[in-house]
Amino acid sequence: MTAQDHGTTETDGEPLDLADQELVHDPFTAYAHIREREQMVRGRVHGVDPMWVATRHDDIRTVMSDPRFTIDAATVPGAPVAHRTEQTWQARGMYPGHEKYLRAGIFDAEGADHRRIRGLVTAAFSPGRVAALRPRIEAIADRLLDRLPDHAENGVVDLIEHFARPLPITVICELIAVPEADRERWRTRSAALTAGVCGDELGAALAGMVEDAHVLVDHHAEHPGNDLISELLAPHQNDPLSTDELVALITNLVVAGHITTVNLIANSTEALLTHPDQLALLREDATLMPHAVNELMRYCGPVVRALPRYATCDTMVGNTSVRTGEAVLPIVSAANRDPAAFTDPDRLDLGRTRGSRETHLGFGHGAHRCLGAHLAQEEAAVALTALFNRVPDLRLATDPEHLKRGTNPVNWHLQTLPVHL
């Protein structure tokens, strides 16, 4: 079945290669050309069945919130549907037997299972609980900034390695009480899972993280403390998580709970340093920061694409017919620069969201909106505030066009961020 049969067209009839380096290097520009030309196109990932690719804001909000779409392929009525997330991980090198942790995780759960798992964890990431964490986040940021000059060579330091990366992993590891001596191992494995590595490197990293999560669960079961995992293991829970669900949750929280924030802090710092007028506004008005974080997530957020959604029945997305079981892949970076949703979308405007509701899709939308969105926003706000207050003369140590970006097509991120202190 071709795209022409479904009411849209593709270049030369070939599915879009989602690993194309033009899309990876600058998804905002490359996907914009697709968004303006066609409503939805067919796309492919190596080792994964073709999918519909959605790039428009309204279409993506629809597939993320409409009950006719599900995130769990197993819930599609009728014939079995290939689960694209599992296909992706298998193609990258996930060891056999680890699929069950994908199925048991909050990201891939749907319906009653999703509500049950999310309900058990939501309170830990509520605005109130996150606000209570702010003093601790500030203390971690201050400690890292104290040490920053020690890592400088000729006045230049990699801000990702010594600030943006250690801050979120420290926060999430403290939440689930990972021993300090083990945190570097968790960080390294988590980074491997999100860096686009494949083969044994990917398989070993995931297997190692699962093994460590099992050890953590066993430890908290015998020695409960004041942490999220102990809370979820408490006997008063009415419908407790299974061991597989808890292990999946831990790996999800560590990977998603820090890597997006690392890249948001780094991307935001680079954006502010290259938009001095917007940085000046932020310096003049500290109350602008929460709105600034939302605008930065829209303008330079690291999330390129979200998890695919599957049609549970034949339905229309705009003028495109999506048939039962077909997957739609939301391209978040394209939606966040959609001129149909945002005025002058390619301009960074820190005051854009002041006094209005959040409309960007950087944290998703609907029932699967990012569980840790409040925490990520708080960490980014603390990090940027502390950084620009403590280092008022901060500047890039290289031309912006010479900054090296990662090759993972899922996340738009910098490999390093060299700055002058």
Side-chain angles (χ1 to χ4, degrees):
M1 185 63 64
T2 66
Q4 287 87 342
D5 295 320
H6 285 65
T8 186
T9 59
E10 296 166 20
T11 304
D12 300 325
E14 291 294 323
L16 178 70
D17 181 1
L18 295 169
D20 184 277
Q21 284 305 297
E22 185 178 354
L23 296 175
V24 174
H25 177 72
D26 184 3
F28 304 103
T29 302
Y31 279 112
H33 297 318
I34 297 166
R35 183 189 62 227
E36 300 310 314
R37 187 179 71 242
E38 305 176 53
Q39 184 187 14
M40 292 209 297
V41 299
R42 296 292 275 175
R44 63 179 172 84
V45 176
H46 175 69
V48 181
D49 293 341
M51 296 172 277
W52 286 111
V53 177
T55 55
R56 297 181 181 177
H57 190 274
D58 284 352
D59 294 340
I60 292 175
R61 280 177 62 92
T62 295
V63 300
M64 284 183 168
S65 59
D66 192 313
R68 291 174 295 179
F69 288 90
T70 177
I71 208 164
D72 182 3
T75 63
V76 176
V81 174
H83 198 298
R84 269 66 170 189
T85 304
E86 287 188 22
Q87 286 184 327
T88 301
W89 283 96
Q90 288 164 347
R92 287 181 61 191
M94 179 175 66
Y95 293 162
H98 286 84
E99 298 88 350
K100 67 178 182 177
Y101 297 109
L102 296 178
R103 301 185 193 117
I106 191 171
F107 292 161
D108 287 52
E110 194 61 279
D113 282 342
H114 179 257
R115 290 191 293 273
R116 177 177 63 88
I117 297 172
R118 192 175 179 104
L120 290 169
V121 187
T122 295
F125 296 95
S126 68
R129 290 280 287 272
V130 168
L133 290 173
R134 186 177 181 102
R136 180 57 189 149
I137 300 171
E138 290 174 335
I140 295 169
D142 285 341
R143 185 182 69 203
L144 292 170
L145 290 171
D146 287 342
R147 298 173 179 174
L148 210 54
D150 297 336
H151 300 291
E153 295 184 12
N154 299 319
V156 176
V157 65
D158 179 6
L159 203 66
I160 294 178
E161 181 67 22
H162 301 294
F163 183 67
R165 185 174 290 145
L167 191 153
I169 192 65
T170 302
V171 172
I172 200 68
C173 282
E174 287 189 0
L175 275 176
I176 60 175
V178 173
E180 190 164 356
D182 297 339
R183 290 175 188 173
E184 180 58 24
R185 186 171 70 248
W186 282 77
R187 186 201 67 76
T188 301
R189 286 172 173 163
S190 177
L193 297 181
T194 57
V197 301
C198 297
D200 282 341
E201 188 176 356
L202 180 282
L206 181 57
M209 182 167 282
V210 165
E211 181 181 354
D212 280 351
H214 274 287
V215 171
L216 196 64
V217 170
D218 291 343
H219 174 79
H220 287 332
E222 295 181 10
H223 308 284
N226 184 26
D227 60 86
L228 176 59
I229 305 307
S230 296
E231 184 177 327
L232 293 173
L233 286 166
H236 67 266
Q237 297 287 2
N238 293 327
D239 193 3
L241 299 176
S242 69
T243 299
D244 285 352
E245 287 174 331
L246 197 48
V247 167
L249 178 64
I250 292 170
T251 56
N252 288 167
L253 288 177
V254 172
V255 175
H258 96 276
I259 198 65
T260 297
T261 312
V262 171
N263 295 328
L264 175 58
I265 294 169
N267 289 355
S268 297
T269 301
E270 189 259 342
L272 290 171
L273 290 175
T274 54
H275 292 79
D277 60 324
Q278 295 300 301
L279 178 56
L281 290 176
L282 199 55
R283 292 186 188 280
E284 293 169 6
D285 183 4
T287 66
L288 192 60
M289 182 57 79
H291 311 286
V293 170
N294 266 330
E295 170 66 355
L296 289 160
M297 190 64 175
R298 183 201 69 82
Y299 178 80
C300 60
V303 180
V304 174
R305 64 192 196 216
L307 292 176
R309 267 63 170 181
Y310 305 87
T312 60
C313 61
D314 292 352
T315 188
M316 297 292 294
V317 177
N319 64 358
T320 303
S321 173
V322 181
R323 297 186 176 176
T324 302
E326 289 189 320
V328 179
L329 184 69
I331 305 299
V332 172
S333 53
N336 285 340
R337 296 282 192 96
D338 188 346
F342 304 98
T343 302
D344 198 5
D346 293 322
R347 179 172 60 89
L348 179 63
D349 177 6
L350 299 189
R352 184 187 298 271
T353 61
R354 188 190 285 274
S356 63
R357 62 186 179 86
E358 178 185 301
T359 54
H360 72 77
L361 301 176
F363 292 116
H365 179 65
H368 284 272
R369 184 178 184 273
C370 177
L371 179 68
H374 294 303
L375 180 59
Q377 290 166 320
E378 192 77 13
E379 288 178 299
V382 167
L384 295 173
T385 299
L387 177 64
F388 287 107
N389 283 346
R390 290 278 298 273
V391 194
D393 296 324
L394 189 74
R395 67 187 190 279
L396 293 177
T398 186
D399 291 335
E401 58 267 26
H402 294 155
L403 291 171
K404 295 182 179 179
R405 295 200 173 270
T407 57
N408 186 344
V410 177
N411 295 294
W412 189 68
H413 66 283
L414 293 161
Q415 292 182 331
T416 61
L417 183 56
V419 295
H420 282 291
L421 299 180

PDB file of all heavy atoms in Angstrom, residues 315-339:
ATOM      1  N   THR A 315      -9.248   5.244  10.700  1.00  0.00           N
ATOM      2  CA  THR A 315      -9.587   6.608  11.067  1.00  0.00           C
ATOM      3  C   THR A 315      -8.871   7.587  10.146  1.00  0.00           C
ATOM      4  O   THR A 315      -7.980   7.211   9.390  1.00  0.00           O
ATOM      5  CB  THR A 315      -9.210   6.880  12.540  1.00  0.00           C
ATOM      6  OG1 THR A 315      -9.707   8.143  12.941  1.00  0.00           O
ATOM      7  CG2 THR A 315      -7.699   6.846  12.734  1.00  0.00           C
ATOM      8  N   MET A 316      -9.263   8.825  10.223  1.00  0.00           N
ATOM      9  CA  MET A 316      -8.648   9.867   9.424  1.00  0.00           C
ATOM     10  C   MET A 316      -7.841  10.794  10.333  1.00  0.00           C
ATOM     11  O   MET A 316      -8.301  11.183  11.404  1.00  0.00           O
ATOM     12  CB  MET A 316      -9.705  10.695   8.682  1.00  0.00           C
ATOM     13  CG  MET A 316     -10.526   9.922   7.669  1.00  0.00           C
ATOM     14  SD  MET A 316      -9.545   9.373   6.237  1.00  0.00           S
ATOM     15  CE  MET A 316      -9.132  10.967   5.484  1.00  0.00           C
ATOM     16  N   VAL A 317      -6.650  11.129   9.905  1.00  0.00           N
ATOM     17  CA  VAL A 317      -5.864  12.192  10.535  1.00  0.00           C
ATOM     18  C   VAL A 317      -5.738  13.273   9.476  1.00  0.00           C
ATOM     19  O   VAL A 317      -4.984  13.131   8.515  1.00  0.00           O
ATOM     20  CB  VAL A 317      -4.482  11.696  10.993  1.00  0.00           C
ATOM     21  CG1 VAL A 317      -3.683  12.851  11.577  1.00  0.00           C
ATOM     22  CG2 VAL A 317      -4.620  10.575  12.004  1.00  0.00           C
ATOM     23  N   GLY A 318      -6.510  14.323   9.639  1.00  0.00           N
ATOM     24  CA  GLY A 318      -6.600  15.318   8.583  1.00  0.00           C
ATOM     25  C   GLY A 318      -7.180  14.673   7.339  1.00  0.00           C
ATOM     26  O   GLY A 318      -8.261  14.082   7.381  1.00  0.00           O
ATOM     27  N   ASN A 319      -6.443  14.723   6.242  1.00  0.00           N
ATOM     28  CA  ASN A 319      -6.932  14.113   5.009  1.00  0.00           C
ATOM     29  C   ASN A 319      -6.261  12.774   4.718  1.00  0.00           C
ATOM     30  O   ASN A 319      -6.347  12.252   3.608  1.00  0.00           O
ATOM     31  CB  ASN A 319      -6.709  15.063   3.825  1.00  0.00           C
ATOM     32  CG  ASN A 319      -5.222  15.327   3.553  1.00  0.00           C
ATOM     33  OD1 ASN A 319      -4.361  14.822   4.265  1.00  0.00           O
ATOM     34  ND2 ASN A 319      -4.936  16.128   2.540  1.00  0.00           N
ATOM     35  N   THR A 320      -5.585  12.199   5.719  1.00  0.00           N
ATOM     36  CA  THR A 320      -4.876  10.935   5.547  1.00  0.00           C
ATOM     37  C   THR A 320      -5.636   9.807   6.220  1.00  0.00           C
ATOM     38  O   THR A 320      -5.989   9.898   7.400  1.00  0.00           O
ATOM     39  CB  THR A 320      -3.459  11.020   6.136  1.00  0.00           C
ATOM     40  OG1 THR A 320      -2.759  12.103   5.522  1.00  0.00           O
ATOM     41  CG2 THR A 320      -2.693   9.735   5.901  1.00  0.00           C
ATOM     42  N   SER A 321      -5.860   8.745   5.487  1.00  0.00           N
ATOM     43  CA  SER A 321      -6.531   7.565   6.030  1.00  0.00           C
ATOM     44  C   SER A 321      -5.505   6.670   6.711  1.00  0.00           C
ATOM     45  O   SER A 321      -4.551   6.211   6.079  1.00  0.00           O
ATOM     46  CB  SER A 321      -7.234   6.806   4.905  1.00  0.00           C
ATOM     47  OG  SER A 321      -7.750   5.582   5.386  1.00  0.00           O
ATOM     48  N   VAL A 322      -5.705   6.445   7.994  1.00  0.00           N
ATOM     49  CA  VAL A 322      -4.826   5.561   8.762  1.00  0.00           C
ATOM     50  C   VAL A 322      -5.623   4.316   9.107  1.00  0.00           C
ATOM     51  O   VAL A 322      -6.684   4.406   9.729  1.00  0.00           O
ATOM     52  CB  VAL A 322      -4.310   6.247  10.045  1.00  0.00           C
ATOM     53  CG1 VAL A 322      -3.385   5.314  10.820  1.00  0.00           C
ATOM     54  CG2 VAL A 322      -3.578   7.538   9.695  1.00  0.00           C
ATOM     55  N   ARG A 323      -5.128   3.181   8.706  1.00  0.00           N
ATOM     56  CA  ARG A 323      -5.874   1.947   8.878  1.00  0.00           C
ATOM     57  C   ARG A 323      -5.525   1.253  10.191  1.00  0.00           C
ATOM     58  O   ARG A 323      -4.472   1.475  10.770  1.00  0.00           O
ATOM     59  CB  ARG A 323      -5.627   1.027   7.683  1.00  0.00           C
ATOM     60  CG  ARG A 323      -6.134   1.660   6.384  1.00  0.00           C
ATOM     61  CD  ARG A 323      -6.059   0.747   5.213  1.00  0.00           C
ATOM     62  NE  ARG A 323      -6.646   1.385   4.033  1.00  0.00           N
ATOM     63  CZ  ARG A 323      -6.658   0.859   2.827  1.00  0.00           C
ATOM     64  NH1 ARG A 323      -6.116  -0.331   2.623  1.00  0.00           N
ATOM     65  NH2 ARG A 323      -7.205   1.512   1.816  1.00  0.00           N
ATOM     66  N   THR A 324      -6.434   0.406  10.636  1.00  0.00           N
ATOM     67  CA  THR A 324      -6.270  -0.313  11.897  1.00  0.00           C
ATOM     68  C   THR A 324      -4.894  -0.983  11.963  1.00  0.00           C
ATOM     69  O   THR A 324      -4.494  -1.704  11.053  1.00  0.00           O
ATOM     70  CB  THR A 324      -7.361  -1.380  12.042  1.00  0.00           C
ATOM     71  OG1 THR A 324      -8.644  -0.758  11.969  1.00  0.00           O
ATOM     72  CG2 THR A 324      -7.227  -2.106  13.376  1.00  0.00           C
ATOM     73  N   GLY A 325      -4.171  -0.725  13.065  1.00  0.00           N
ATOM     74  CA  GLY A 325      -2.868  -1.329  13.277  1.00  0.00           C
ATOM     75  C   GLY A 325      -1.703  -0.547  12.727  1.00  0.00           C
ATOM     76  O   GLY A 325      -0.550  -0.823  13.081  1.00  0.00           O
ATOM     77  N   GLU A 326      -1.973   0.448  11.865  1.00  0.00           N
ATOM     78  CA  GLU A 326      -0.866   1.241  11.336  1.00  0.00           C
ATOM     79  C   GLU A 326      -0.323   2.175  12.411  1.00  0.00           C
ATOM     80  O   GLU A 326      -1.075   2.685  13.249  1.00  0.00           O
ATOM     81  CB  GLU A 326      -1.308   2.047  10.116  1.00  0.00           C
ATOM     82  CG  GLU A 326      -1.548   1.183   8.883  1.00  0.00           C
ATOM     83  CD  GLU A 326      -1.771   2.007   7.632  1.00  0.00           C
ATOM     84  OE1 GLU A 326      -2.466   3.039   7.707  1.00  0.00           O
ATOM     85  OE2 GLU A 326      -1.249   1.603   6.580  1.00  0.00           O
ATOM     86  N   ALA A 327       0.980   2.392  12.374  1.00  0.00           N
ATOM     87  CA  ALA A 327       1.645   3.247  13.361  1.00  0.00           C
ATOM     88  C   ALA A 327       1.824   4.658  12.818  1.00  0.00           C
ATOM     89  O   ALA A 327       2.096   4.843  11.632  1.00  0.00           O
ATOM     90  CB  ALA A 327       2.998   2.662  13.734  1.00  0.00           C
ATOM     91  N   VAL A 328       1.672   5.626  13.710  1.00  0.00           N
ATOM     92  CA  VAL A 328       1.931   7.027  13.392  1.00  0.00           C
ATOM     93  C   VAL A 328       3.039   7.503  14.322  1.00  0.00           C
ATOM     94  O   VAL A 328       2.919   7.399  15.544  1.00  0.00           O
ATOM     95  CB  VAL A 328       0.679   7.902  13.573  1.00  0.00           C
ATOM     96  CG1 VAL A 328       1.000   9.355  13.258  1.00  0.00           C
ATOM     97  CG2 VAL A 328      -0.462   7.403  12.692  1.00  0.00           C
ATOM     98  N   LEU A 329       4.110   8.011  13.736  1.00  0.00           N
ATOM     99  CA  LEU A 329       5.260   8.474  14.516  1.00  0.00           C
ATOM    100  C   LEU A 329       5.207   9.995  14.639  1.00  0.00           C
ATOM    101  O   LEU A 329       5.316  10.710  13.648  1.00  0.00           O
ATOM    102  CB  LEU A 329       6.558   8.061  13.822  1.00  0.00           C
ATOM    103  CG  LEU A 329       7.852   8.383  14.575  1.00  0.00           C
ATOM    104  CD1 LEU A 329       7.977   7.510  15.818  1.00  0.00           C
ATOM    105  CD2 LEU A 329       9.069   8.173  13.668  1.00  0.00           C
ATOM    106  N   PRO A 330       5.039  10.535  15.856  1.00  0.00           N
ATOM    107  CA  PRO A 330       4.972  11.989  16.028  1.00  0.00           C
ATOM    108  C   PRO A 330       6.363  12.631  16.023  1.00  0.00           C
ATOM    109  O   PRO A 330       7.225  12.255  16.816  1.00  0.00           O
ATOM    110  CB  PRO A 330       4.316  12.154  17.407  1.00  0.00           C
ATOM    111  CG  PRO A 330       3.828  10.779  17.806  1.00  0.00           C
ATOM    112  CD  PRO A 330       4.741   9.824  17.113  1.00  0.00           C
ATOM    113  N   ILE A 331       6.570  13.598  15.134  1.00  0.00           N
ATOM    114  CA  ILE A 331       7.828  14.343  15.092  1.00  0.00           C
ATOM    115  C   ILE A 331       7.624  15.630  15.899  1.00  0.00           C
ATOM    116  O   ILE A 331       7.108  16.628  15.401  1.00  0.00           O
ATOM    117  CB  ILE A 331       8.258  14.658  13.649  1.00  0.00           C
ATOM    118  CG1 ILE A 331       8.337  13.369  12.826  1.00  0.00           C
ATOM    119  CG2 ILE A 331       9.603  15.377  13.650  1.00  0.00           C
ATOM    120  CD1 ILE A 331       9.343  12.345  13.333  1.00  0.00           C
ATOM    121  N   VAL A 332       8.042  15.588  17.140  1.00  0.00           N
ATOM    122  CA  VAL A 332       7.780  16.669  18.086  1.00  0.00           C
ATOM    123  C   VAL A 332       8.497  17.954  17.672  1.00  0.00           C
ATOM    124  O   VAL A 332       7.935  19.055  17.781  1.00  0.00           O
ATOM    125  CB  VAL A 332       8.208  16.236  19.503  1.00  0.00           C
ATOM    126  CG1 VAL A 332       8.130  17.397  20.480  1.00  0.00           C
ATOM    127  CG2 VAL A 332       7.335  15.082  19.979  1.00  0.00           C
ATOM    128  N   SER A 333       9.734  17.838  17.203  1.00  0.00           N
ATOM    129  CA  SER A 333      10.485  19.040  16.842  1.00  0.00           C
ATOM    130  C   SER A 333       9.822  19.780  15.689  1.00  0.00           C
ATOM    131  O   SER A 333       9.914  21.016  15.612  1.00  0.00           O
ATOM    132  CB  SER A 333      11.926  18.675  16.479  1.00  0.00           C
ATOM    133  OG  SER A 333      11.963  17.668  15.487  1.00  0.00           O
ATOM    134  N   ALA A 334       9.151  19.066  14.800  1.00  0.00           N
ATOM    135  CA  ALA A 334       8.429  19.716  13.706  1.00  0.00           C
ATOM    136  C   ALA A 334       7.167  20.390  14.228  1.00  0.00           C
ATOM    137  O   ALA A 334       6.829  21.510  13.820  1.00  0.00           O
ATOM    138  CB  ALA A 334       8.077  18.697  12.624  1.00  0.00           C
ATOM    139  N   ALA A 335       6.457  19.730  15.123  1.00  0.00           N
ATOM    140  CA  ALA A 335       5.237  20.308  15.693  1.00  0.00           C
ATOM    141  C   ALA A 335       5.526  21.590  16.452  1.00  0.00           C
ATOM    142  O   ALA A 335       4.746  22.550  16.402  1.00  0.00           O
ATOM    143  CB  ALA A 335       4.571  19.296  16.630  1.00  0.00           C
ATOM    144  N   ASN A 336       6.658  21.625  17.144  1.00  0.00           N
ATOM    145  CA  ASN A 336       7.000  22.785  17.964  1.00  0.00           C
ATOM    146  C   ASN A 336       7.479  23.987  17.157  1.00  0.00           C
ATOM    147  O   ASN A 336       7.657  25.070  17.708  1.00  0.00           O
ATOM    148  CB  ASN A 336       8.062  22.407  19.003  1.00  0.00           C
ATOM    149  CG  ASN A 336       7.479  21.596  20.137  1.00  0.00           C
ATOM    150  OD1 ASN A 336       6.273  21.616  20.367  1.00  0.00           O
ATOM    151  ND2 ASN A 336       8.327  20.881  20.859  1.00  0.00           N
ATOM    152  N   ARG A 337       7.674  23.798  15.860  1.00  0.00           N
ATOM    153  CA  ARG A 337       8.018  24.916  14.979  1.00  0.00           C
ATOM    154  C   ARG A 337       6.946  25.103  13.899  1.00  0.00           C
ATOM    155  O   ARG A 337       7.213  25.694  12.863  1.00  0.00           O
ATOM    156  CB  ARG A 337       9.377  24.677  14.319  1.00  0.00           C
ATOM    157  CG  ARG A 337      10.580  24.611  15.272  1.00  0.00           C
ATOM    158  CD  ARG A 337      11.028  25.984  15.739  1.00  0.00           C
ATOM    159  NE  ARG A 337      12.331  25.908  16.410  1.00  0.00           N
ATOM    160  CZ  ARG A 337      13.498  26.149  15.814  1.00  0.00           C
ATOM    161  NH1 ARG A 337      13.528  26.496  14.531  1.00  0.00           N
ATOM    162  NH2 ARG A 337      14.632  26.056  16.487  1.00  0.00           N
ATOM    163  N   ASP A 338       5.750  24.595  14.146  1.00  0.00           N
ATOM    164  CA  ASP A 338       4.671  24.664  13.161  1.00  0.00           C
ATOM    165  C   ASP A 338       4.075  26.076  13.138  1.00  0.00           C
ATOM    166  O   ASP A 338       3.528  26.529  14.151  1.00  0.00           O
ATOM    167  CB  ASP A 338       3.589  23.643  13.509  1.00  0.00           C
ATOM    168  CG  ASP A 338       2.525  23.514  12.423  1.00  0.00           C
ATOM    169  OD1 ASP A 338       2.460  24.380  11.528  1.00  0.00           O
ATOM    170  OD2 ASP A 338       1.740  22.547  12.496  1.00  0.00           O
ATOM    171  N   PRO A 339       4.140  26.796  12.017  1.00  0.00           N
ATOM    172  CA  PRO A 339       3.579  28.154  11.972  1.00  0.00           C
ATOM    173  C   PRO A 339       2.066  28.187  12.131  1.00  0.00           C
ATOM    174  O   PRO A 339       1.506  29.239  12.437  1.00  0.00           O
ATOM    175  CB  PRO A 339       4.000  28.660  10.582  1.00  0.00           C
ATOM    176  CG  PRO A 339       4.277  27.438   9.782  1.00  0.00           C
ATOM    177  CD  PRO A 339       4.785  26.414  10.748  1.00  0.00           C
TER     178      PRO A 339
END
